Every structure is written in C-alpha cells, then in structure tokens.
Amino acid sequence: MVLFLVGVGLNNEKDLTLRGLELIEKADKVYLESYTSILSPGASIINLLKEKKLIEADRKTIEENCDGIIAEAKEKNIVLLVVGDPFCATTHSDLVLRSYEQGVKVEVVHNASIISAIGCTGLQVYRFGETVSIPFFEDNWRPKSFYDKIKSNLERGLHTLCLLDIKVKEQTIENMMKNRPIFEPPRFMTINQAISQILAIKEEDNSSLLSQDSLGFGVARVGSEDQLIVSGTLKELIHTEFGGPLHSLVICHPDLHLVERRFFEINKKK
Amino acid sequence: MVLFLVGVGLNNEKDLTLRGLELIEKADKVYLESYTSILSPGASIINLLKEKKLIEADRKTIEENCDGIIAEAKEKNIVLLVVGDPFCATTHSDLVLRSYEQGVKVEVVHNASIISAIGCTGLQVYRFGETVSIPFFEDNWRPKSFYDKIKSNLERGLHTLCLLDIKVKEQTIENMMKNRPIFEPPRFMTINQAISQILAIKEEDNSSLLSQDSLGFGVARVGSEDQLIVSGTLKELIHTEFGGPLHSLVICHPDLHLVERRFFEINKKK
C-alpha cells in the first residue's frame, strides 16, 4: 500500500488537484494537517471529507506518531493532506525518509506553494535569495538570523520572501501544568508585526542596507478571491491593514527591473 | 470579463486544480502554452479541451499577440493555460501588467512549480539560493553567468536549482529565410548536457568551489508516476540515463544537513 502526501494548495478545497481528489476518494484513512484550519475556508476541506475517517493532526502529532502512520501505510492507503506543497516542511521530509527506510512506498502530489506563488507580486521568482522565516519574538527570545539573511540577499541584489510565524495548538502554562487538553486559538503573525520586529532589530544595526525606507510587498491570502497585494516602503506597509490570514512579506532589492517597477507602482497603497 | 491565467502543474491534466478545471469549462476561449506539448502526456490536456476553441501558442506568439488577447478579455472570459505556476515566466508578468493598465481584470490559479516541488529531493527548500537557467551553448555564445551564480550560492552555504533550456518552434535558417512555417521538433536539455556545460566552464576556472566532485541531484519528470531522482557527484550523474523530459539539476552545498544527507544516500545511483 502507499502513503500519499497530497498538497492542498494555498486556500480552499478547489485548490486540490484532480489527482489529489481521486486519491482522497480511494483512501482508507485521511490525515489533515491542522494548519489547514487556518486557511480561509478551512471547513470546506473537512466537508469534502466528511464520509472519510478523517483525523486532524498538528505537525507535532504527525512527528510523534510518525511510525504509527507508516505502520498503517503498510496495510492501507493513507493520505496525509498538507497545506501548500508537501515538501516545504521538514516534518514531512522526515516522514518520507522513514517510510523509504521501512520499505513503504510514498507518492507525492505537488501543489502551489507560496515559494513560487509569490510571483503574483510581479517580482521575478528567479531573483529571490534564500527564504526566511520570521518567528514571534518572546520576552527572552529574539533571534535575528532572518535579519542577517535578508541583508545578505540585499547585498547580492536579491529579494527575500519572509514567511511569517503561525502558532496552532498552543497551551497556556497553566493548562500545560495541569495537563488539560485546552488549546489557545490559532494565531498568525501579521505583516505589521513582522515589520515591527524587523525594525526593532534595525535599531541596533548601523547598516544602511535595510531600513524603514526599504521597499516591500505585503501579500495576504494569496490565490484566494480576496487576496491583497500592497507595495510600499516598510514605513508605509506597517500601517496598512491586511485583514485575515495568511500573510507574507517580501523585502525587495531597491534596484527593481523595469517590469518589477511597474508592478510596484500599480500595487502601491492608494 | 476576465483573463484567467491557469497553472497546469508539472505533468498531465490530472494536475489541474478543481478551480482551474471549472474555469476552463466556463471559458469562451482557451489558449494553451505550447510548452505543454513537451510534458509527459501533453495530449491529455488537449483531449480534455476538445470541445473548446483551443489555441496552441508558444510564448513568442503570446508575447506578440498580447494586446489581441487583452482585447478579447474585455468581451469574453479567456483562459491561458500555463505550465507550472503562471508567474514563473516573465512573459506572463508582462501580460498581466498590460491587462491591469488597460483595466482588464486578471485572476490567477496557482499550481505546483519546480521551484517548490524540488523539495522532492529532500533538500530543504529554504536552503536554496537564486535559481539559475542554463541555456544551450551555441558555437559563439557560451554565457557563464549561471556558473557564477551557482558559485555565489555555494559561498553562502546554499543549494542551486538549475532549470534547463527548452526549445520549441525552432526553425532552420533555411526555413526561416524561405519563410516556410516548418518547425524543428521540440528539444530539451538533458541533465547530462547541463553538467557537461558546467564542467566546460570549470576548465577555465581555478576555484575549488565547483568541480566534477561536487554533489548534485538530477531529477526527471518530477511529480509524474515515472519520476526519477538520482543523487551523486557530477562525475557520476553525467553518466546516468534519465529518460524523457523534463530534466532539472540541483547543485548541492556539500555540507548537507542530517536529513538531507540521508535523502542523498537513499537516492544514490545504484
């Protein structure tokens, strides 16, 4: 039997591919990565699957139950639905690897991912350097490696796609201590929070590469009917309201190509 | 009315999304980018569309007839089917831009692209630097900018995705002179050719960053049922037979992470 990793794309059940849908229909059991619940009409995928034995699982659960899922896939056809493209998270790479090692066949259904869909800004996808993830700062934890990577991309004339943190299934310390399975509502980092974290690090950095006058694109709900793309300086974007999740941010190299420049002008905050 | 840019994904008609299929069914006219004919079962998309007024067009035709397509989209719902994700080619960015400028609404259906699907190698997609395109060398034209970019990524600890050249609708000089609309069969660069071009440039370069001992992944027909992924040194991969199109090549930073290393070992040429 086979373990199918099926990408569900960026928004809703209509982003499934025909092959993905076919596999779900034939599957013996379907796992749904709980990140999907944060997607615009998350419930729609669940409706689609209502006749299936559907298990919603966060990445941690998938990681911890890795061997269980692989054992099932020896007997049954198992589908794991993953937001975007299945290989864009390390968790799933590890699952695939262990399956190989245990002789379980794995098939992947690729789908749209923000990594390539970010081309919707009109910036050339080949002109992006390393992608960075911006984590929520906490009182005693303010990593700045993403900032250094953005600067390093700028030095090489490249744009940077910044993926913004998402927290699902968080527990308060009290609930954790008392072992109560009560979880906080999912939260996602807004473009505004991401920029404010970047500018907070900037305060301790004298380089002129990155500042509140740097150019960027804020993108929200890419690929959905109410997607929003706004270009501007970071100082402008920090005051722009982007609405619901998911948000991503691009820091542009200031020397935009001709076509890129025209996209930038068209998407400017009105 | 609307100009819909619909990504068709990496392989065949089953890679269309439900939303993409719905738009095709409702469209007044459908343009099919002729690159699709190079995809594994290219004909299958054409079958799917047999009742539609379907126009196969290469990128040059789309570029030259840009204003014609936009004029149509003022009156009708037009779908342009694009291999992979619609924004991964500059041609389409320009089409979108001109549509905006002429007040024509554009909607995009994103899909899988090699830019993110390359995660199937097990390499971390966030650890890729700038993507490069390797063009067919000609007698008097041997650009080496892709080589410098690969080295620059290596210096920063990053992998490089190399997209390999495709030629469609080429004419012989004779046919061109006599204005005969006879085109050569499409050709695509193999992984073997790409490596041989890289090593040809290497001969004039003393740097130790890149050599025939560099590590790479050759990938063919990603996402299809007969996809092939092989890892090895460039010296090994240059002698590997990868079969039909499309091919892509990854040059790895030699310092692979733990999970990456395991994928490399598993995919090694037997």
Side-chain angles (χ1 to χ4, degrees):
Chain A
M1 309 309 274
V2 182
L3 174 61
F4 296 100
L5 265 66
V6 176
V8 301
L10 296 169
N11 286 286
N12 63 28
E13 83 289 353
K14 286 195 178 174
D15 292 337
L16 273 172
T17 67
L18 303 181
R19 180 157 175 249
L21 183 62
E22 195 177 284
L23 293 174
I24 291 170
E25 284 167 354
K26 286 185 193 162
D28 297 304
K29 196 168 177 183
V30 180
Y31 287 90
L32 175 71
E33 193 187 56
S34 57
Y35 272 3
T36 43
S37 64
I38 238 180
L39 292 184
S40 328
S44 57
I45 290 183
I46 295 172
N47 282 336
L48 183 79
L49 298 170
K50 55 184 174 244
E51 298 130 53
K52 289 282 163 190
K53 183 160 184 183
L54 176 76
I55 291 128
E56 201 176 338
D58 58 15
R59 287 200 179 157
K60 195 161 156 274
T61 311
I62 292 170
E63 218 163 300
E64 283 166 3
N65 189 26
C66 202
D67 290 325
I69 296 174
I70 295 168
E72 285 178 325
K74 288 180 182 166
E75 312 287 326
K76 294 174 178 176
N77 283 320
I78 305 294
V79 165
L80 171 60
L81 296 176
V82 180
V83 177
D85 188 79
F87 269 109
C88 292
T90 321
T91 309
H92 306 123
S93 302
D94 194 54
L95 180 65
V96 171
L97 197 57
R98 292 201 200 191
S99 303
Y100 286 157
E101 288 168 348
Q102 296 189 37
V104 169
K105 197 175 170 199
V106 178
E107 286 190 29
V108 174
V109 178
H110 292 288
N111 207 322
S113 150
I114 188 69
I115 302 268
S116 48
I118 196 63
C120 65
T121 52
L123 298 171
Q124 289 182 22
V125 288
Y126 308 144
R127 228 193 131 192
F128 279 76
E130 188 178 2
T131 301
V132 305
S133 293
I134 304 187
F136 279 115
F137 280 177
E138 287 163 29
D139 294 343
N140 303 311
W141 191 69
R142 297 159 68 95
K144 63 182 275 292
S145 60
F146 67 87
Y147 183 89
D148 297 328
K149 287 177 183 170
I150 296 171
K151 278 172 57 180
S152 163
N153 284 335
L154 286 167
E155 272 167 356
R156 294 179 64 217
L158 303 175
H159 311 308
T160 307
L161 169 62
C162 308
L163 303 175
L164 311 187
D165 206 357
I166 301 171
K167 295 279 188 196
V168 283
K169 284 212 162 184
E170 280 185 303
Q171 278 178 300
T172 60
I173 289 175
E174 199 191 337
N175 283 332
M176 207 184 292
M177 300 276 282
K178 296 191 175 161
N179 209 12
R180 288 190 295 223
I182 301 171
F183 301 100
E184 301 305 293
R187 59 192 180 113
F188 68 97
M189 186 184 289
T190 63
I191 291 160
N192 321 78
Q193 287 170 315
I195 295 174
S196 99
Q197 291 194 180
I198 290 171
L199 297 181
I201 299 179
K202 165 66 193 171
E203 282 180 16
E204 292 148 30
D205 174 36
N206 289 322
S207 147
S208 61
L209 276 169
L210 189 51
S211 75
Q212 58 172 1
D213 296 314
S214 294
L215 305 183
F217 277 84
V219 298
R221 301 170 302 283
V222 167
S224 76
E225 284 173 22
D226 67 336
Q227 86 172 6
L228 182 62
I229 301 176
V230 182
S231 59
T233 60
L234 295 188
K235 181 168 63 181
E236 287 164 345
L237 295 177
I238 202 172
H239 295 115
T240 304
E241 170 57 43
F242 282 91
L246 292 175
H247 291 187
S248 302
L249 173 68
V250 176
I251 308 290
C252 306
H253 188 272
D255 184 14
L256 297 173
H257 297 170
L258 188 63
V259 170
E260 292 180 325
R261 168 64 60 188
R262 285 162 69 199
F263 270 96
F264 187 87
E265 294 302 326
I266 278 179
N267 288 300
K268 254 191 188 161
K269 193 178 169 178
K270 301 294 177 305
Chain B
M1 309 311 275
V2 182
L3 174 60
F4 296 99
L5 266 67
V6 176
V8 301
L10 297 168
N11 286 286
N12 64 27
E13 83 289 352
K14 285 196 179 174
D15 291 336
L16 273 171
T17 67
L18 303 180
R19 180 157 173 248
L21 182 61
E22 195 178 283
L23 292 174
I24 291 170
E25 284 167 353
K26 286 186 193 164
D28 297 304
K29 198 168 176 182
V30 180
Y31 287 90
L32 175 70
E33 193 187 55
S34 58
Y35 271 4
T36 43
S37 64
I38 241 180
L39 292 185
S40 329
S44 58
I45 290 183
I46 296 173
N47 282 337
L48 184 78
L49 299 171
K50 56 182 174 244
E51 299 130 54
K52 290 281 161 189
K53 183 161 183 180
L54 176 76
I55 292 130
E56 201 176 338
D58 57 14
R59 286 202 181 156
K60 194 161 158 273
T61 312
I62 291 170
E63 219 164 299
E64 283 166 4
N65 188 26
C66 200
D67 290 326
I69 296 174
I70 295 168
E72 286 178 324
K74 288 180 182 166
E75 312 285 327
K76 292 173 178 174
N77 284 320
I78 305 294
V79 165
L80 172 60
L81 296 177
V82 180
V83 177
D85 187 80
F87 269 109
C88 291
T90 321
T91 311
H92 307 124
S93 302
D94 194 54
L95 180 65
V96 170
L97 199 55
R98 291 202 201 191
S99 303
Y100 285 158
E101 288 168 348
Q102 296 188 37
V104 169
K105 198 177 169 198
V106 178
E107 285 189 29
V108 174
V109 178
H110 292 287
N111 207 322
S113 151
I114 188 69
I115 301 267
S116 47
I118 196 62
C120 65
T121 51
L123 298 171
Q124 289 182 22
V125 288
Y126 308 145
R127 228 191 129 191
F128 279 77
E130 188 177 3
T131 301
V132 306
S133 293
I134 303 187
F136 279 115
F137 280 176
E138 289 163 29
D139 294 344
N140 303 311
W141 191 71
R142 297 161 67 96
K144 61 180 278 292
S145 60
F146 67 86
Y147 184 89
D148 297 328
K149 286 177 183 169
I150 296 171
K151 278 172 56 182
S152 164
N153 284 336
L154 286 168
E155 273 166 356
R156 294 179 65 218
L158 303 175
H159 311 308
T160 307
L161 169 63
C162 307
L163 303 176
L164 310 187
D165 207 357
I166 301 170
K167 296 278 188 197
V168 284
K169 284 211 161 183
E170 280 185 303
Q171 280 178 299
T172 61
I173 289 174
E174 198 191 338
N175 284 332
M176 208 187 290
M177 300 275 281
K178 297 190 175 162
N179 209 13
R180 289 190 295 224
I182 300 171
F183 301 99
E184 300 305 294
R187 61 192 178 111
F188 68 96
M189 186 183 290
T190 63
I191 291 161
N192 322 78
Q193 288 169 315
I195 295 174
S196 101
Q197 292 194 178
I198 290 171
L199 297 181
I201 300 179
K202 165 67 193 170
E203 281 180 16
E204 292 148 30
D205 175 36
N206 290 322
S207 147
S208 61
L209 275 169
L210 190 52
S211 76
Q212 58 172 0
D213 296 314
S214 294
L215 306 183
F217 278 84
V219 298
R221 302 170 301 285
V222 168
S224 76
E225 283 174 22
D226 67 337
Q227 85 172 9
L228 182 62
I229 302 176
V230 182
S231 59
T233 60
L234 296 187
K235 180 168 65 182
E236 286 163 346
L237 295 177
I238 202 172
H239 295 115
T240 304
E241 170 56 44
F242 283 91
L246 292 177
H247 291 187
S248 303
L249 173 67
V250 176
I251 308 289
C252 306
H253 188 272
D255 184 14
L256 297 173
H257 296 171
L258 187 63
V259 170
E260 293 179 325
R261 169 65 59 188
R262 285 162 70 197
F263 269 96
F264 187 88
E265 294 303 325
I266 277 179
N267 288 299
K268 254 191 187 162
K269 194 178 169 179
K270 301 294 175 304

